[in-house]
């Protein structure tokens, strides 16, 4: 059954990459049913939470919190950071900016030592956006400048564009 879980997870990831969220959710759920490995189950719950988040389904919150509780800090630190980031995104999209900022700042702290610029840029981006929407413009600008510097240093051109776009948008708010 572990091999079925691996196959169903891979199929779900393809559906997720193609924005076919209901099919992705079905695949992740099948994989979760097929495995008893605690580490894999925690990752699958994170992926289920992410897929539900993509369709603004409140079930995302349950899966993300369960994943956060079950992930191992010693062997799954990157996954913990990503789940924390997703929780921040969840609250941001619900316009609960205080909670969003708390999760996003924690995700940033977890990601910084992991040398994962691709994911860290999302922490900077989402943190800056949540701060901007909560009218904390100076803090937002600080993280946008950090986003741009990180993105330029790692040649993440779409992230550079996002950073400058949010800087321009923030300037309109001032």
């Amino acid at each position: 059954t572990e091999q079925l879980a691996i196959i169903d997870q891979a199929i779900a990831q393809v559906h997720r990459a193609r924005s076919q969220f209901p099919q992705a959710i079905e695949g992740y759920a099948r994989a979760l049913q097929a495995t008893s490995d605690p580490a894999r189950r925690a990752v699958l719950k994170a992926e289920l939470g992410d897929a539900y988040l993509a369709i603004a389904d409140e079930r995302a919150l349950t899966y993300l919190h369960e994943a956060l509780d079950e992930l191992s800090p010693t062997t799954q630190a990157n996954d913990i950071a990503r789940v924390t980031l997703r929780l921040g995104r969840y609250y941001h999209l619900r316009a609960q900016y205080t909670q969003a900022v708390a999760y996003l700042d924690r995700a940033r702290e977890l990601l910084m030592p992991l040398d994962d610029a691709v994911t860290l840029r999302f922490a900077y981006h989402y943190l800056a956006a949540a701060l901007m929407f909560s009218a904390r413009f100076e803090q937002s600008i600080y993280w946008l400048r950090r986003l741009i510097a990180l993105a330029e240093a790692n040649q993440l051109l779409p992230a550079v564009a996002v950073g400058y776009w949010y800087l321009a948008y923030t300037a309109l708010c001032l």
Side-chain angles (χ1 to χ4, degrees), residues 62-73:
T62 300
Y63 281 108
L64 293 172
H65 277 294
E66 286 180 12
L68 197 57
D69 291 341
E70 296 171 20
L71 288 164
S72 167

Side-chain angles (χ1 to χ4, degrees), residues 1-13 23-45 47-48 63:
T1 60
E2 290 301 319
Q3 288 187 342
L4 284 176
I6 292 168
I7 292 167
D8 280 329
Q9 183 179 14
I11 291 169
Q13 288 169 336
Q23 296 89 337
I25 289 166
E26 289 173 14
Y28 290 133
R30 280 192 313 270
L32 186 60
Q33 294 264 333
T35 187
S36 59
D37 175 37
R40 181 179 302 282
R41 290 181 62 77
V43 168
L44 286 165
K45 287 179 181 182
E47 290 178 330
L48 265 165
Y63 281 108

